[in-house]
Amino acid sequence: MNIFRLTGDLTHLMSIIVLLLKIHTIKSCAGISLKTQELYALVFATRYLDIFTTYISLYNTVMKLIFLGTSFSIVWYMRRHKTVRLSYDKNNDTFRHYFLVLPCFLLALVLNNRFTVREVLWTFSLYLEAVAIIPQLVLLQRSKNVDNLTGNYVFFLGAYRGFYLINWIYRYFTENHYRRWITWMAGIVQTALYVDFFYYYFKSWKNNEKLKLPA
Amino acid sequence: GRSHEGKDEL
């Protein structure tokens, strides 16, 4: 474990806490894409298949349980909770997320480290996580003004994989035989998708104005 | 923990 990866994990956890706070306290999911939340639940479900078979550390297991639990409860809140579901912006959250699932699965079948069920699903979860934010970014551009909590949620979500990129560079130079081409490619694509969001996020923060993404 | 082919990351 290094400081970059720990910061990345905590930033990821922060993004989920910001989202849960928004949904749980003000009972609203306005501006949040259910499609992206469903994709994240699928990402964790296919990535943490070995949660009960491979023990790495208490931290690792606890964090996996937190990510699984929070991602599924967010989907539940947005689909089932009597008040929260009313604020779901169904008309603008229309990105066909299965258009992302299928290509990621096909790519995982072709481009993986080992052709086993678990490895293909794990690789699928990496590819899917890289593009899972797209429905959310599309929704942000469609919803006129972005509230602070949603903006902060997307910011922390983008920052976490950015810290992972630094972690991979650090591990590449400090651990011999640390080669993760597939992980690195997916991580670079994932972070690159946030670049324009980061630009507008910092610009709005510098000019102290409301965050608005150009359509 | 030992890296299980890179699976020691979340």
Side-chain angles (χ1 to χ4, degrees):
Chain A
M1 170 62 81
N2 59 65
I3 183 66
F4 307 113
R5 179 148 68 100
L6 181 62
T7 312
D9 290 341
L10 296 181
T11 307
H12 189 190
L13 186 62
M14 192 60 200
S15 73
I16 293 171
I17 289 171
V18 162
L19 185 53
L20 266 177
L21 271 182
K22 171 186 170 83
I23 292 177
H24 187 73
T25 45
I26 56 177
K27 292 287 180 284
S28 155
C29 65
I32 301 299
S33 162
L34 174 60
K35 308 291 175 78
T36 285
Q37 298 311 315
E38 288 169 344
L39 290 176
Y40 275 124
L42 183 58
V43 165
F44 294 130
T46 50
R47 179 155 332 159
Y48 301 150
L49 295 170
D50 60 351
I51 187 168
F52 297 118
T53 55
T54 314
Y55 180 79
I56 292 173
S57 69
L58 181 64
Y59 169 82
N60 192 275
T61 305
V62 167
M63 290 296 270
K64 284 176 177 174
L65 289 171
I66 291 173
F67 287 156
L68 281 167
T70 50
S71 58
F72 279 93
S73 53
I74 287 166
V75 171
W76 178 85
Y77 259 115
M78 292 183 72
R79 279 183 167 280
R80 295 271 183 280
H81 188 281
K82 60 188 182 312
T83 318
V84 174
R85 60 197 294 250
L86 299 176
S87 57
Y88 170 46
D89 189 357
K90 190 179 12 272
N91 305 323
N92 279 325
D93 190 23
T94 55
F95 192 96
R96 288 176 177 68
H97 48 340
Y98 37 81
F99 278 7
L100 297 173
V101 172
L102 200 59
C104 288
F105 186 70
L106 295 177
L107 187 61
L109 283 175
V110 171
L111 196 59
N112 53 60
N113 293 321
R114 261 180 316 150
F115 194 72
T116 63
V117 171
R118 179 168 296 179
E119 187 68 24
V120 168
L121 288 177
W122 180 82
T123 311
F124 163 70
S125 83
L126 272 181
Y127 296 148
L128 188 63
E129 188 191 1
V131 295
I133 194 62
I134 293 175
Q136 178 63 62
L137 293 177
V138 167
L139 181 62
L140 283 190
Q141 286 177 346
R142 289 181 181 165
S143 34
K144 290 299 153 251
N145 67 329
V146 179
D147 68 77
N148 284 346
L149 278 171
T150 307
N152 293 340
Y153 163 66
V154 177
F155 171 76
F156 285 124
L157 206 49
Y160 117 79
R161 216 60 178 164
F163 283 114
Y164 257 76
L165 291 180
I166 303 171
N167 151 64
W168 293 323
I169 295 167
Y170 175 81
R171 292 187 74 175
Y172 176 81
F173 288 112
T174 52
E175 296 171 27
N176 47 6
H177 312 305
Y178 185 74
R179 302 274 185 286
R180 303 276 172 268
W181 307 116
I182 290 181
T183 307
W184 297 345
M185 269 184 335
I188 289 169
V189 167
Q190 181 169 343
T191 308
L193 283 172
Y194 288 80
V195 164
D196 65 309
F197 171 81
F198 284 145
Y199 169 71
Y200 290 108
Y201 185 84
F202 282 118
K203 210 173 82 172
S204 76
W205 172 73
K206 198 157 53 48
N207 307 342
N208 196 12
E209 65 199 8
K210 224 31 183 139
L211 173 64
K212 253 185 72 51
L213 294 183
Chain B
R2 295 184 317 284
S3 78
H4 296 253
E5 311 107 39
K7 301 285 191 308
D8 63 343
E9 295 178 346
L10 289 172

